[in-house]
């Protein structure tokens, strides 16, 4: 018999709450909005032309990847991929990305 991993069970519980269609579609929409802002106006998150460092752009793109992957409903078989591309992490990074690029839409 295999032992159950409490951390993995907690992660799966959080993921199951965020896999509801409203959360998934919301995550996908926010990911697309942030991706458009970053692709059309990269100077808002670029290190030499904004207040953010290179890490900010990397985190925003990581959030967009998390948003698209989870927004489309992809499910990972391995737990470490589910941790790396967690929908909760995606939401946090996309909120940061939306705050960083809000001037693109609301200038």
């Amino acid at each position: 018999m295999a032992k159950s991993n409490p951390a993995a069970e907690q992660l799966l519980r959080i993921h199951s709450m965020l896999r509801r269609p409203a959360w998934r579609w919301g995550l996908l929409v926010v990911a697309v909005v942030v991706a458009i802002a970053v692709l059309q106006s990269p100077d808002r998150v670029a290190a030499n032309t904004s207040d953010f460092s290179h890490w900010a752009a990397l985190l925003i793109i990581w959030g967009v990847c998390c948003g698209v992957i989870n927004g489309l409903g992809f499910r990972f078989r391995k737990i470490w991929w589910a941790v790396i591309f967690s929908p909760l992490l995606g939401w946090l990074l996309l909120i940061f990305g939306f705050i960083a690029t809000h001037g693109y839409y609301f200038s």
Side-chain angles (χ1 to χ4, degrees):
M1 259 188 186
K3 291 182 181 180
S4 65
N5 185 350
E9 290 176 8
Q10 183 70 19
L11 179 69
L12 292 175
R13 190 175 309 120
I14 291 171
H15 281 208
S16 68
M17 290 187 305
L18 293 174
R19 289 201 183 273
R20 294 184 178 144
W23 285 104
R24 276 193 16 230
W25 285 105
L27 188 62
L28 184 61
V29 167
V30 173
V32 169
V33 166
V34 171
I36 289 171
V38 169
L39 290 172
Q40 291 292 318
S41 183
D43 57 331
R44 299 198 185 275
V45 293
N48 294 333
T49 57
S50 72
D51 298 332
F52 300 106
S53 67
H54 291 290
W55 291 103
L58 174 68
L59 292 174
I60 292 170
I61 297 302
W62 187 2
V64 169
C65 292
C66 291
V68 170
I69 288 169
N70 290 294
L72 293 175
F74 187 78
R75 294 179 187 239
F76 295 103
R77 293 182 187 158
K78 303 289 184 181
I79 192 71
W80 60 81
W81 289 117
V83 170
I84 293 172
F85 294 109
S86 170
L88 181 61
L89 179 65
W91 273 113
L92 294 173
L93 293 175
L94 285 173
I95 289 170
F96 168 68
F98 190 75
I99 291 169
T101 61
H102 76 280
Y104 178 76
Y105 294 104
F106 305 112
S107 55

